[in-house]
């Protein structure tokens, strides 16, 4: 046995990792080696997607022959709900459903209703590419979804079709956004990943469009998640550049953070019409305040977006582990957490040192969700 905080992992024959857990896990709130509490849970409900965004699931890698998870390997809604209930007992208060494209998972509103009914889940949100939203918005709202984020990287059809790489028209995402408004899910968050030379020209049209509609537009720096997108620092448009671009036409005023660990730096329009946020994950990393745990669709826990391996929970879950055993595993994983990849990457970039090595096994965004 290992004491809490001294977690050992073993690679099993099936390639998944297992860890040894201390039986002495105390019921007190759990913090990691850098003093960060557990607060947010991202749940990926599928590794599949109907888009092939070039920065996330490049078509050359995720082609016809790509082996996605078989259905039997996905956690059931009951398993997801049980794990969430246990995580809530250890500090999780915010839950976000993501993927892959979460709306590809059949009957997702049933999962939303199950999670919404859990005491202690103060916030329940969903991130989607919006392609299937027109069909599902009312059911999601009815099931108790509280907040919705739609990812949209351009308003002009040609750029949007090129970015999703499956020729999907922007009008259908905008129809999804309208359906979400009609279902009472507004104000929405709209996430835009900005890439140098690809969609910078869309920053101002997006700002004007969503300002008029009262949704919160958030600009995200393109990140070196996974190992398939061919990320280069030169492709990143720093958040300060995006702010300057908007401020020149629509003057902005900085807003204070609302809580510890808020990833977006917020700005309001000086002349009214809501706010924008920038997520400077590359130029100003926020590892120091990261309180996020990620659960993959097949039941692995990742403690960092840039992780190289996950911790298997599905194995013990399906082998009949008790609630106490599962909680002890999660607490041990969190207590041993020392991830701060973005800080190390940015420090290396600024000082001209080599970037941290990217393990070819580094997990992809589509597997653990954004
Ligand atoms: C992985 S997607 C999953 C949910 C859903 N399919 C969607 O697109 O909203 C979640 C978020 O991650 C963002 N994302 C994916 N790859 C990224 C990257 N390399 N850098 C920054 N953001 C990324 C997407 O733009 C999206 O907003
Ligand atoms: S960002 Fe979302 S929509 Fe685009 S490929 Fe990744 S999972 Fe799919």
């Amino acid at each position: 046995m290992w004491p809490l905080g001294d977690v050992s992992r073993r690679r099993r024959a099936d390639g998944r990792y297992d860890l040894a857990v201390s039986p002495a896990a105390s019921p007190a709130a759990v913090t990691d080696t850098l003093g960060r509490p557990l607060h947010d849970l991202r749940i990926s409900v599928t590794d599949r997607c109907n888009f092939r965004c070039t920065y996330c699931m490049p078509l050359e890698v995720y082609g016809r022959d790509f082996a996605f998870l078989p259905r039997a390997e996905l956690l059931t809604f009951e398993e997801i709900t049980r794990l969430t209930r246990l995580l809530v007992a250890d500090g999780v208060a915010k839950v976000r459903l993501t993927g892959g494209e979460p709306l590809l998972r059949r009957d997702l509103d049933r999962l939303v209703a199950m999670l919404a009914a859990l005491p202690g889940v103060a916030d329940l949100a969903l991130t989607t590419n919006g392609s299937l939203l027109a069909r599902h918005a009312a059911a999601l709202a009815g099931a108790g979804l509280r907040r919705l984020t739609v990812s949209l990287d351009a308003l002009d059809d040609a750029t949007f079709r090129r970015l999703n790489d499956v020729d999907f028209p922007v009008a259908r995402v905008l129809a999804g956004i309208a359906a979400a408004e009609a279902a009472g899910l507004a104000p929405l968050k709209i996430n835009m990943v900005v890439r140098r030379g690809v969609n910078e020209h869309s920053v101002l049209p997006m700002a004007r469009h969503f300002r008029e509609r009262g949704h919160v537009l958030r600009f995200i720096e393109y990140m070196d998640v996974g190992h398939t997108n061919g990320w280069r620092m030169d492709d990143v448009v720093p958040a300060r550049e995006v702010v300057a671009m908007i401020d020149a036409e629509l003057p902005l005023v900085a807003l204070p953070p609302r809580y510890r660990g808020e990833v977006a730096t917020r700005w309001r329009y000086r002349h009214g019409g809501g706010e924008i946020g920038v997520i400077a994950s590359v130029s100003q990393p926020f590892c120091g305040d990261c309180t996020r745990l990620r659960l993959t669709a097949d039941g692995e826990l990742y403690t960092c977006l840039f992780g190289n391996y996950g911790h298997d929970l599905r194995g013990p879950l399906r082998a009949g582990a008790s609630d106490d055993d599962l909680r002890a595993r999660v607490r041990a994983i969190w207590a041993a957490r020392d991830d701060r990849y973005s800080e190390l990457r940015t420090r290396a970039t600024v000082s001209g040192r080599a970037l941290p090595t990217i393990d070819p096994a580094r997990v992809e965004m589509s597997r653990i969700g954004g």
Side-chain angles (χ1 to χ4, degrees):
M1 285 294 178
W2 284 257
L4 181 65
D6 184 11
V7 182
S8 290
R9 67 194 161 94
R10 304 189 198 97
R11 188 145 200 236
R12 299 192 318 226
D14 63 2
R16 289 160 76 94
Y17 286 92
D18 212 350
L19 86 162
V21 187
S22 159
S26 93
V30 59
T31 52
D32 69 9
T33 61
L34 301 173
R36 299 168 297 191
L38 169 59
H39 188 255
D40 313 66
L41 175 65
R42 300 263 159 130
I43 303 172
S44 172
V45 293
T46 176
D47 61 337
R48 292 168 199 258
C49 188
N50 53 346
F51 283 11
R52 287 294 177 271
C53 301
T54 46
Y55 54 71
C56 178
M57 294 180 78
L59 197 50
E60 319 81 78
V61 179
Y62 294 90
R64 231 174 250 283
D65 299 331
F66 188 83
F68 289 102
L69 290 169
R71 199 178 165 74
E73 294 202 9
L74 301 184
L75 292 184
T76 63
F77 289 169
E78 287 69 22
E79 288 170 334
I80 293 173
T81 306
R82 178 176 174 207
L83 288 178
T84 307
R85 176 171 57 76
L86 299 178
L87 285 160
V88 166
D90 278 316
V92 164
K94 291 176 74 170
V95 176
R96 179 173 291 276
L97 298 175
T98 174
E101 173 45 44
L103 295 184
L104 287 180
R105 180 89 188 244
R106 201 177 307 155
D107 301 327
L108 191 73
D109 55 304
R110 195 165 71 79
L111 177 64
V112 168
M114 289 163 77
L115 296 176
L118 283 181
V121 176
D123 190 18
L124 181 58
L126 172 85
T127 303
T128 171
N129 63 23
S131 59
L132 302 169
L133 198 50
R135 201 183 307 162
H136 296 292
L140 290 169
L145 186 72
R146 282 169 226 165
R147 293 193 307 119
L148 184 67
T149 300
V150 178
S151 305
L152 180 64
D153 297 330
L155 273 181
D156 72 283
D157 200 45
T159 307
F160 185 69
R161 285 177 193 253
R162 219 174 17 252
L163 278 167
N164 63 53
D165 218 10
V166 292
D167 210 26
F168 197 88
V170 75
R172 284 178 55 194
V173 176
L174 295 176
I177 290 174
E181 288 167 354
L185 287 165
L188 312 181
K189 282 203 178 115
I190 311 290
N191 274 358
M192 172 178 179
V193 177
V194 189
R195 277 178 76 184
R196 180 79 72 204
V198 175
N199 62 342
E200 283 159 292
H201 64 280
S202 304
V203 166
L204 270 170
M206 288 277 289
R208 291 184 202 115
H209 182 87
F210 288 108
R211 178 180 179 227
E212 274 169 26
R213 285 158 185 81
H215 299 311
V216 178
L217 180 55
R218 300 202 308 182
F219 299 93
I220 304 176
E221 288 179 351
Y222 172 42
M223 288 183 279
D224 49 338
V225 194
H227 59 279
T228 59
N229 64 12
W231 180 92
R232 292 174 321 132
M233 193 67 182
D234 292 350
D235 297 331
V236 179
V237 179
R240 63 175 176 283
E241 206 176 306
V242 170
V243 170
M245 214 187 293
I246 298 173
D247 185 57
E249 176 180 315
L250 303 164
L252 295 169
V253 180
L255 289 169
R258 284 168 300 189
Y259 52 87
R260 179 183 174 186
E262 185 168 41
V263 295
T265 309
R266 299 178 309 123
W267 303 77
R268 69 172 172 80
Y269 291 106
R270 185 182 298 275
H271 303 301
E275 67 175 68
I276 62 155
V278 291
I279 303 186
S281 28
V282 177
S283 63
Q284 286 170 287
F286 34 78
C287 300
D289 275 337
C290 179
T291 54
R292 239 171 260 146
L293 186 59
R294 297 163 194 275
L295 177 65
T296 65
D298 60 344
E300 290 195 312
L301 280 183
Y302 277 80
T303 54
C304 179
L305 191 51
F306 302 92
N308 292 338
Y309 61 87
H311 301 274
D312 182 33
L313 280 190
R314 191 191 63 203
L317 188 73
R318 291 191 178 169
S322 67
D323 283 0
D324 285 348
D325 178 16
L326 291 169
R327 272 189 74 186
R329 284 170 186 271
V330 171
R331 293 172 67 85
I333 291 166
W334 191 264
R337 177 182 189 246
D338 61 0
D339 308 273
R340 53 191 195 105
Y341 170 81
S342 285
E343 278 181 5
L344 299 177
R345 178 240 294 115
T346 301
R347 216 175 278 171
T349 316
V350 171
S351 66
R353 289 201 308 273
L355 292 176
T357 319
I358 296 184
D359 190 314
R362 191 201 268 180
V363 68
E364 294 295 333
M365 183 77 120
S366 54
R367 197 160 133 62
I368 50 172

